[in-house]
Structure formats: C-alpha cells, structure tokens
Amino acid sequence: MDLEALRLAEAFFARKPAALPSVRAFLAGALERWPDTEIVTQKSQVGLRDPRPYCALTAPETRVKGRATPGALLSLFLPRPLEAESLLLAVEAYPGRFTNHLILPEDPADFDRELWTWTAEARRFRCAKSGKDPCKNAGSGVT
C-alpha cells in the first residue's frame, strides 16, 4: 500500500473534513479488493487506475441539483449510464463510455454491495481497454 498516495488523497479532502471517513474507507476498500490499483491525486480529483483510470473522487464546492453540497462525489467510468438514487449525472464522455457522478455515502457503513459491484464493473471495463491480460486480479472484488 502506498502510504504517500493515501496521504496526498487525504490532503486533497482537507477542506471537506466530513468527507474524510468515507473517502478513506472507499480508498482502503478499493486497495483491499484490487491491490494493483494506483491512487493518483491531481489538482481537481483523486483518481484510481489499474492501469487506466476507472473512477475518481472529487470534492464539490457548490450545491448540486437542489441537494445539500455532498462531501465527496464518486465518478465511475462505465459502458452505460447507471440508474440510482445517488446518481447526480451520467454523461457520455466518449462514445460508449459514460461518466456516472454519484454522491459517495457520508457513512462508510452505507457502502452497499451495489457500490462495489459498479466499481468492479468500471475497473473491468477500463482495464479491458488497456489490453492488460484482462485485469490481473480482475475478480468482482465484491464482498
């Protein structure tokens, strides 16, 4: 586990301390399921890749669709739009690739099987695009 990468991701969310428990839990859960995942902190997001980006976490500054400002948003890169209560927006960023923006639950106890199923699907979808031997450790990662 790359502790420096985790420290940088936590620093990214320093202005949203209420989001830190869910962000930490999501990153730890992803690394536990897919140890080859790399956490990359950029100016506008914290991305997860293996070897291609399959999801990203962001800290929105404004209200979204009349909802309270979420602590963290999870963007999953999938071949389809999702239908979920937590979905804010699904955009077809490229032909056949949708970016699904979801509100990450504030309480890690609320991370359900569906969240991990979607994340595993995003990882498989993006990993397959890389030509990687279809995702080393590609299991569903759903527990």
Side-chain angles (χ1 to χ4, degrees), residues 7-8 17 23-24 40 55 63 70 80 83-84 90 106 109 124 134:
R7 188 193 66 73
L8 289 171
V23 167
R24 283 182 187 127
V40 180
C55 71
R63 294 174 58 95
R80 64 188 176 88
E83 291 185 23
E106 286 188 23
R124 281 190 311 273

Side-chain angles (χ1 to χ4, degrees), residues 1 7-8 32-33 41-42 66 79 82 107 123:
M1 180 180 300
R7 188 193 66 73
L8 289 171
E32 179 181 309
R33 288 166 173 80
T41 301
Q42 299 171 324
L82 294 175
D107 184 348
R123 183 178 167 274

Side-chain angles (χ1 to χ4, degrees), residues 29-51:
L31 291 172
E32 179 181 309
R33 288 166 173 80
W34 308 292
D36 290 338
T37 290
E38 181 182 3
I39 300 170
V40 180
T41 301
Q42 299 171 324
K43 185 176 181 177
S44 62
Q45 67 184 17
V46 174
L48 279 73
R49 65 183 183 196
D50 182 20

Side-chain angles (χ1 to χ4, degrees), residues 56-128:
L57 294 161
T58 56
E61 293 293 328
T62 60
R63 294 174 58 95
V64 182
K65 284 190 178 180
R67 299 184 191 202
T69 304
L73 289 180
L74 172 64
S75 299
L76 295 171
F77 312 133
L78 292 162
R80 64 188 176 88
L82 294 175
E83 291 185 23
E85 186 176 319
S86 62
L87 181 71
L88 294 176
L89 180 66
V91 177
E92 191 170 16
Y94 298 97
R97 182 179 128 191
F98 289 82
T99 302
N100 293 272
H101 302 285
L102 303 151
I103 296 172
L104 188 66
E106 286 188 23
D107 184 348
D110 293 334
F111 290 6
D112 59 11
R113 183 176 177 85
E114 195 170 46
L115 177 73
W116 291 115
T117 299
W118 292 333
T119 306
E121 179 185 350
R123 183 178 167 274
R124 281 190 311 273
F125 171 63
R126 295 295 293 153
C127 187

